[in-house]
Amino acid sequence: MLDTLLPILIFAAIALAVIGAGRRVRLWRQGRPARVDLFKGLAAMPRRYLVDLHHVVARDKVMSNTHVATAGGFVAAAVLMVLVHGLGLAQGVLGWPLLLASATMFVGSLFVARRRRHPPSRLSRGPWMRLPKSLMAFSLSVFLITLPTVGILPEDFGHWILAILLSAVLVWGLGEMVFGMAWGGPMKHAFAGALHLAFHRRAERFGEGNRSTGLKALDLDDENATLGVETPSDFTWNQLLGFDACVQCGRCEAVCPAFAAGQPLNPKKLIQDMVVGLAGGSDARYAGSPYPDRPVGEHQGSPHGPIVAREGKALVDAETLWSCTTCRACVEECPMMIEHVDAIVDMRRFLTLEHGQTPGKGAEVLDNLIATDNPGGFDPGARMHWAADLELPLMAQQGQAEVLLWLGDGAYDMRNQRTLRALVKVLRAAGVDFAVLGDEERDSGDVARRLGDEATFQSLARRNIATLSKYRFERIVTCDPHSFHVLGNEYGELGGDYAVSHHSTFIAELYDAGRLAFRAWKGGRVTYHDPCYLGRYNGEFEAPRNVLKALGIEVAEMQRSGFRSRCCGGGGGAPITDVPGKQRIPDMRMGDVQETGADLVAVGCPQCTAMLEGVVDSDADVRDIAELVAEALVDSAPSSAPGPALAQQPLAEEVA
């Protein structure tokens, strides 16, 4: 009897899955066109799934092994089940690997069940709580119906009663594993996720050590181009596909600084709201953590309706979008490699460019950038006042230099001027041939772009590119990770391709080349804070630590450091929009510092310095790496002009 029932059940499930898949694809295709190499993406998908994605999943060893057993067992069992029980091919031979695959999947499902007994708060519940039972039903039923095919049990074992029972259990498993995968059940991520990896918006992310973190430019010359995202259908179709791939694991939620601070943002909920908008409806069935102080059931939308409404219910509140610090912690942790930050900035662009709805001091800052080329509205001619006694060489006078020192808008900030003066001292001690743009330098445009004002960003960027094109230099060095990122990763689309180094990287190179010597550190306990735009955005974690090691400092690492470093709260224009929460993000970060017992926190970003020094109840000192290096120089005598690099070992780039 099973020989008759099984092919019917298997091919009926496959047929329904194909119908559901077609429906799902139509939902994704409501989005705007995107250039994707379909065949190349499909060919690359196995490696992206088995290697690139697994690197992220493997950070949790238990769940990584569970995923390998459960997902690997399911894929193998599903294919072999079609061959053995659907088509009746080589049952005696293929039956044994089918038994092994289904048994492996069953073992994996036991670990899933164990995790779901007392799930962490970040995991969604609701339909997800039945998933372990469905995994067990599928794997166990496939295992049992395969036993007669390999001769372990007689072919007529249990007769028709057992056949009906096994078929019922198999239907349960098939319903979740195959039918639900295409129609929107908890296993939906397996179907959408595989295609998301194949047609990812940032295909350049895949491959060992690859990063792609620069925002995509808008074509402002195209009168028909959408200025940002107003409705779910304004996203590209592969962005919608990416939203649908969310597994609702909540790893993004667990690392989001805004969520932890009680601001109205939860990255997982945001992605699920986009899925609601994709299909139409409300968030009433959402089974995960809500936005802080925003109950579930208040949001609704449709593919062509506004995401943020001026009145009435909408998919997302504006405050949710403006809470994001763009730190990319969510993106770094996502096991499906979803691009949350891209989506948030796309939606901000519409609010800013089309409606001018930038909260807090956003409008004032953008007006200042337009009028004075700096967010503070300072006199552009005052950019170099802090260095009046340093006689810094100007590019306009020299025309070329080994290094172009990019000052950034910290040049107007008295606190960051100390960092810049320290860096100048270090460069001169190493005999570096450097020059600055002086009053020709403008804001890099980072703040404007993160606030959604793409037009102001591109205006600033193109003017900076025109200025830089007049001079010759080997690389740009800056102590501002935001300028470092924008100049190195986002100016390229507009025609500005530069070699850009963070000052910690350059100082490490100078030390390795023997051009700097330091006195031994005699201070207290030191920890190091990884700036988001240096670490997660650009993968530079080691150079700052190498500099501190060269100073004789043994870093007392915070629990959240490296790629999991907690944001200081200063990125993405967050201090400007100033969305209130239950606590401040920098307060939480200085709490991390306090746990290490450190007397001093070393930083490498002017915004991090400002945010962390603004914590009033902390005793830890905040110092930039350049300041620590300048104080430790063996020859600390200041020079009024850059000295020649006489008899000094060249940098690696110069040797090459």
Side-chain angles (χ1 to χ4, degrees):
M1 188 173 183
L2 280 174
D3 291 341
T4 303
L5 284 175
L6 289 179
I8 295 174
L9 293 176
I10 291 170
F11 289 110
I14 292 175
L16 289 172
V18 170
I19 295 172
R23 173 180 172 272
R24 214 73 206 170
V25 170
R26 285 196 297 273
L27 290 177
W28 304 332
R29 296 297 292 181
Q30 295 175 108
R32 292 186 293 110
R35 293 183 179 180
V36 174
D37 190 328
L38 298 181
F39 295 107
K40 185 176 180 180
L42 289 172
M45 189 264 289
R47 185 192 184 283
R48 293 176 180 179
Y49 186 88
L50 297 173
V51 179
D52 298 306
L53 181 65
H54 189 68
H55 285 327
V56 180
V57 178
R59 293 169 184 170
D60 184 335
K61 296 298 182 184
V62 174
M63 286 312 300
S64 172
N65 294 333
T66 300
H67 183 263
V68 169
T70 309
F74 166 70
V75 172
V79 173
L80 290 169
M81 180 183 65
V82 172
L83 297 176
V84 173
H85 299 297
L87 301 175
L89 299 177
Q91 292 184 338
V93 177
L94 296 179
W96 291 104
L98 178 53
L99 285 175
L100 178 61
S102 56
T104 301
M105 180 181 175
F106 183 78
V107 172
S109 67
L110 293 177
F111 282 93
V112 176
R114 180 184 177 186
R115 187 173 181 81
R116 285 284 168 180
R117 287 182 61 187
H118 303 290
S121 60
R122 62 179 173 83
L123 289 179
S124 290
R125 289 164 173 75
W128 296 87
M129 299 303 289
R130 71 171 185 257
L131 187 57
K133 303 181 183 67
S134 301
L135 293 169
M136 291 180 186
F138 179 84
S139 57
L140 187 59
S141 61
V142 171
F143 184 87
L144 292 175
I145 64 177
T146 306
L147 291 176
T149 67
V150 296
I152 295 179
L153 293 176
E155 292 187 5
D156 59 348
F157 177 77
H159 202 46
W160 61 271
I161 297 177
L162 183 59
I164 291 176
L165 288 174
L166 285 175
S167 297
V169 177
L170 181 63
V171 167
W172 175 10
L174 281 172
E176 192 78 86
M177 297 297 103
V178 182
F179 178 74
M181 189 184 299
W183 285 81
M187 284 296 293
K188 171 172 62 69
H189 71 278
F191 170 60
L195 294 182
H196 166 58
L197 295 177
F199 309 134
H200 200 281
R201 191 182 191 223
R202 293 179 180 270
E204 61 273 17
R205 278 188 68 183
F206 299 98
E208 187 174 355
N210 287 354
R211 287 182 179 271
S212 172
T213 56
L215 293 172
K216 307 287 186 180
L218 291 180
D219 185 357
L220 299 176
D221 295 326
D222 184 356
E223 296 181 356
N224 298 318
T226 304
L227 295 179
V229 167
E230 178 185 14
T231 71
S233 60
D234 287 333
F235 286 110
T236 61
W237 68 266
N238 52 348
Q239 281 182 290
L240 296 178
L241 166 59
F243 303 151
D244 219 17
C246 176
V247 69
Q248 296 197 41
C249 65
R251 285 168 67 163
C252 58
E253 169 188 315
V255 297
C256 177
F259 180 78
Q263 294 175 263
L265 171 62
N266 178 344
K268 182 179 77 173
K269 176 65 165 59
L270 177 68
I271 296 301
Q272 289 308 305
D273 283 342
M274 296 303 102
V275 175
V276 167
L278 168 69
S282 78
D283 67 340
R285 297 177 63 185
Y286 173 68
S289 303
Y291 301 124
D293 296 328
R294 301 289 197 281
V296 170
E298 288 191 344
H299 299 89
Q300 64 184 30
S302 63
H304 303 288
I307 293 173
V308 179
R310 294 190 175 186
E311 56 184 31
K313 291 186 177 181
L315 276 175
V316 174
D317 298 328
E319 291 82 2
T320 293
L321 303 181
W322 296 115
S323 296
C324 179
T325 66
T326 68
C327 71
R328 280 185 75 87
C330 53
V331 180
E332 185 74 34
E333 287 292 337
C334 179
M336 298 309 297
M337 303 182 83
I338 298 170
E339 295 285 342
H340 310 67
V341 174
D342 280 5
I344 289 172
V345 174
D346 281 341
M347 290 183 277
R348 285 183 176 186
R349 283 169 168 172
F350 176 79
L351 296 179
T352 297
L353 294 173
E354 294 287 355
H355 294 306
Q357 294 179 341
T358 313
K361 296 182 179 179
E364 177 185 342
V365 166
L366 294 176
D367 286 343
N368 288 339
L369 285 168
I370 294 171
T372 66
D373 298 333
N374 66 81
F378 299 107
D379 179 3
R383 183 180 289 272
M384 295 299 295
H385 285 184
W386 63 276
D389 61 325
L390 295 180
E391 300 180 10
L392 295 183
L394 298 175
M395 271 293 188
Q397 298 172 351
Q398 297 191 176
Q400 64 180 27
E402 173 193 352
V403 168
L404 169 62
L405 178 59
W406 185 274
L407 304 176
D409 286 305
Y412 293 104
D413 176 67
M414 292 183 65
R415 173 61 185 88
N416 192 59
Q417 288 168 8
R418 288 159 45 192
T419 298
L420 291 173
R421 294 180 73 91
L423 181 55
V424 168
K425 179 180 178 180
V426 173
L427 296 180
R428 286 180 166 167
V432 176
D433 173 26
F434 75 96
V436 299
L437 291 177
D439 293 344
E440 289 187 287
E441 182 182 310
R442 299 172 180 84
D443 183 86
S444 66
D446 166 75
V447 174
R449 188 166 233 197
R450 270 70 199 169
L451 289 175
D453 192 347
E454 181 73 4
T456 298
F457 163 75
Q458 290 196 21
S459 173
L460 290 166
R462 293 184 191 281
R463 291 159 68 197
N464 279 324
I465 291 170
T467 299
L468 293 171
S469 67
K470 299 188 297 182
Y471 306 116
R472 295 177 58 192
F473 49 89
E474 295 178 18
R475 72 164 102 181
I476 298 173
V477 172
T478 179
C479 61
D480 178 12
H482 296 262
S483 296
F484 163 52
H485 171 71
V486 170
L487 293 168
N489 298 317
E490 296 186 352
Y491 273 29
E493 273 192 288
L494 304 176
D497 293 306
Y498 312 109
V500 188
S501 297
H502 185 252
H503 72 308
S504 65
T505 306
F506 191 55
I507 291 172
E509 293 177 11
L510 292 171
Y511 177 78
D512 290 341
R515 295 170 65 170
L516 292 172
F518 308 133
R519 289 188 294 270
W521 172 256
K522 295 182 180 180
R525 189 175 176 87
V526 178
T527 189
Y528 171 68
H529 166 74
D530 290 275
C532 302
Y533 276 72
L534 181 62
R536 273 189 292 270
Y537 271 80
N538 289 282
E540 183 57 275
F541 303 105
E542 294 305 317
R545 289 171 170 82
N546 289 339
V547 172
L548 294 174
K549 182 179 179 181
L551 293 172
I553 295 173
E554 182 178 348
V555 176
E557 294 286 2
M558 286 180 266
Q559 184 176 1
R560 287 187 58 172
S561 61
F563 70 87
R564 282 185 168 150
S565 175
R566 191 196 301 271
C567 177
C568 73
I576 297 169
T577 56
D578 197 24
V579 178
K582 295 180 180 179
Q583 56 184 326
R584 297 174 67 247
I585 296 173
D587 291 346
M588 293 190 295
R589 190 52 171 165
M590 289 304 283
D592 297 338
V593 172
Q594 186 175 5
E595 289 178 0
T596 68
D599 305 301
L600 183 148
V601 52
V603 295
C605 172
Q607 294 197 44
C608 294
T609 302
M611 297 302 292
L612 298 182
E613 283 193 336
V615 177
V616 297
D617 57 351
S618 174
D619 295 329
D621 194 12
V622 180
R623 305 289 296 280
D624 191 274
I625 285 176
E627 295 178 281
L628 298 177
V629 170
E631 289 181 1
L633 289 172
V634 171
D635 181 10
S636 60
S639 173
S640 61
L646 296 177
Q648 293 173 330
Q649 183 180 342
L651 299 180
E653 288 79 359
E654 296 175 290
V655 174

